[in-house]
Amino acid sequence: MSVFMNTKIKEQGSFLHCSTTYVNVDKPGEKIEEKVYLSGFDADKLLTAVENLDDTQADFMSGLLTKKLYNTYCLTKVLGEQIVKNERDLPALIFRPSIIVGVWKDGLPGWVPAFQGIAALIGAMYTGALPRVPMLSHNPKSILDCVPVDAVVSMMIVCAGYRMNLHTEEAPVFHCCTSELSPFSLQKQLTIAHKYAMEYPTEKFLSSPSFNLGGFQCVESLRHKMRVGCMRPVLDKLTTLFRQQPFWTRLYRKVGYAYTALLPFTRHYQFESTGMLKLIGMMNEEDRNTFDFDVRKINWTEFSCNGMMGMKIFLMKDDDEGAIRRTKIRLISHQLISLLPVFVIFYMISVLVSR
């Protein structure tokens, strides 16, 4: 890799390495600066060691190395930054976006490509498949740092141009995020999402949409096991009886994976944004309009509603106004039916008490 970098890229104007702000996922509560932190790993030695391991040994080593960083995604980002930093004569820049979400204003506002990241979380809650946000600790003020994809692309282009005119051996680090300049709490995100979901329900809901922060990890894990072990076989059997393709096994597997994968990222992080402000200050007005990544301008309420509409139209293929009215009626009926057991229990208690 080092040979490739030195021979192929050295003569180019700049080399932009795309990492992630969550490369420092092991530092919740701290203000993450725009610098490469010491990781305790020697990237070159580790990569050499992995090349000589079989799959079983590699999986075992991966489990040991990811205890602090939670997953191999964050681990490989740490190693990638270290390799780029060590290439002293490479005109490199380390670019760290936070969680990338849908389009803000370029192209189609609200467009999302797939149920990934935040879209997977909101989509699961929108359909009622996931009743609560996965959280290691309950903190309504937690900020799930996310940034629109068009802002990320614009800032990447500007960063590449900036690095071409920078004469230094050090690889500067730039964050593309919102937690410092335009914080958007997880509680506020869910409040907006819930209001939209009740106003424009999807035809594909499985139960009444729920956007809650409550619950403990152990309780939620137990609930998920009960859904997989008890509800899933029954629901798949009922689906088969109606001569439809069973999908509950696949659905609960995806929900469980998304729940576990998102847990580390729902803690409170604050990422420094000095570099973003520096670049904005260096640009003229025309460039700022062409490559707009000033996240301070984002109206989060409008952005969230556009995002859910995009999810509904582009991913769920669900945009018929007549269907929305019919779905509202179904949703109200479902909510009334779900309350029936509660009424029955209270009625039985009242009968017993009155005797």
Side-chain angles (χ1 to χ4, degrees), residues 15-73:
F15 174 78
L16 190 145
H17 170 69
C18 189
S19 184
T20 172
T21 53
Y22 290 96
V23 73
N24 297 299
V25 71
D26 58 327
K27 298 175 179 62
E30 300 180 29
K31 183 174 181 178
I32 310 301
E33 298 178 17
E34 291 173 303
K35 67 178 185 180
V36 178
Y37 289 81
L38 294 175
S39 64
F41 299 121
D42 187 316
D44 292 325
K45 289 182 179 179
L46 183 58
L47 292 173
T48 301
V50 170
E51 288 176 357
N52 297 300
L53 299 176
D54 59 33
D55 291 345
T56 303
Q57 293 171 326
D59 288 341
F60 177 75
M61 178 175 283
S62 174
L64 294 176
L65 295 173
T66 55
K67 283 184 177 179
K68 187 173 69 168
L69 296 171
Y70 292 100
N71 53 46
T72 51
Y73 172 78

Side-chain angles (χ1 to χ4, degrees), residues 15 35 38 41 61 64 147 181 186 205 212 219 227 236 239 248 268 279 321 329 346 353:
F15 174 78
K35 67 178 185 180
L38 294 175
F41 299 121
M61 178 175 283
L64 294 176
V147 61
L181 300 179
L186 192 53
F205 76 85
N212 297 318
V219 176
R227 293 190 198 103
D236 269 343
T239 306
W248 293 95
H268 182 73
L279 291 177
E321 290 187 7
I329 296 173
F346 275 102
V353 171

Side-chain angles (χ1 to χ4, degrees), residues 64-191:
L64 294 176
L65 295 173
T66 55
K67 283 184 177 179
K68 187 173 69 168
L69 296 171
Y70 292 100
N71 53 46
T72 51
Y73 172 78
C74 293
L75 172 63
T76 53
K77 292 297 186 183
V78 169
L79 299 178
E81 285 195 6
Q82 190 178 122
I83 291 172
V84 171
K85 185 176 184 295
N86 291 341
E87 295 293 329
R88 304 291 297 182
D89 56 349
L90 182 71
L93 181 145
I94 296 172
F95 182 75
R96 292 176 180 164
S98 57
I99 301 174
I100 301 175
V101 289
V103 172
W104 171 24
K105 58 181 182 177
D106 291 345
L108 291 171
W111 178 83
V112 284
F115 282 116
Q116 297 175 340
I118 301 298
L121 172 66
I122 299 297
M125 303 184 83
Y126 194 3
T127 58
L130 185 66
R132 292 170 183 81
V133 173
M135 298 190 75
L136 289 169
S137 59
H138 181 78
N139 182 7
K141 294 182 180 179
S142 290
I143 296 171
L144 194 59
D145 195 309
C146 49
V147 61
V149 62
D150 44 334
V152 173
V153 173
S154 293
M155 187 170 173
M156 286 180 75
I157 294 171
V158 174
C159 279
Y162 169 81
R163 186 62 180 92
M164 289 176 67
N165 296 286
L166 190 66
H167 304 288
T168 178
E169 291 185 350
E170 290 289 333
V173 180
F174 283 83
H175 287 166
C176 182
C177 53
T178 58
S179 57
E180 186 173 62
L181 300 179
S182 183
F184 188 33
S185 73
L186 192 53
Q187 180 65 72
K188 188 175 180 181
Q189 290 186 46
L190 297 181
T191 300

Side-chain angles (χ1 to χ4, degrees), residues 208-326:
S208 181
S210 176
F211 294 83
N212 297 318
L213 287 175
F216 299 95
Q217 183 186 358
C218 58
V219 176
E220 296 305 319
S221 298
L222 179 60
R223 285 178 172 174
H224 179 69
K225 289 179 181 178
M226 290 179 64
R227 293 190 198 103
V228 173
C230 303
M231 293 176 60
R232 175 194 56 79
V234 175
L235 292 171
D236 269 343
K237 189 67 176 177
L238 289 173
T239 306
T240 306
L241 290 175
F242 284 100
R243 297 185 178 181
Q244 295 180 4
Q245 189 72 22
F247 63 91
W248 293 95
T249 298
R250 185 175 67 255
L251 172 68
Y252 280 130
R253 186 184 297 119
K254 285 185 176 180
V255 169
Y257 175 78
Y259 187 96
T260 304
L262 286 166
L263 268 176
F265 306 103
T266 55
R267 298 182 297 177
H268 182 73
Y269 295 91
Q270 185 176 354
F271 305 109
E272 182 183 20
S273 298
T274 304
M276 177 181 281
L277 293 176
K278 178 181 178 180
L279 291 177
I280 293 172
M282 294 173 64
M283 298 163 67
N284 59 41
E285 186 175 354
E286 182 181 356
D287 287 340
R288 282 197 293 267
N289 290 330
T290 304
F291 304 101
D292 192 2
F293 52 87
D294 190 346
V295 296
R296 294 170 296 183
K297 299 178 183 178
I298 299 175
N299 181 322
W300 284 115
T301 300
E302 180 183 350
F303 177 81
S304 300
C305 291
N306 285 341
M308 292 194 69
M309 179 62 78
M311 190 186 308
K312 188 172 166 56
I313 294 174
F314 300 118
L315 301 183
M316 298 178 178
K317 313 297 182 184
D318 180 13
D319 61 344
D320 179 52
E321 290 187 7
I324 291 175
R325 288 192 294 270
R326 293 192 298 271

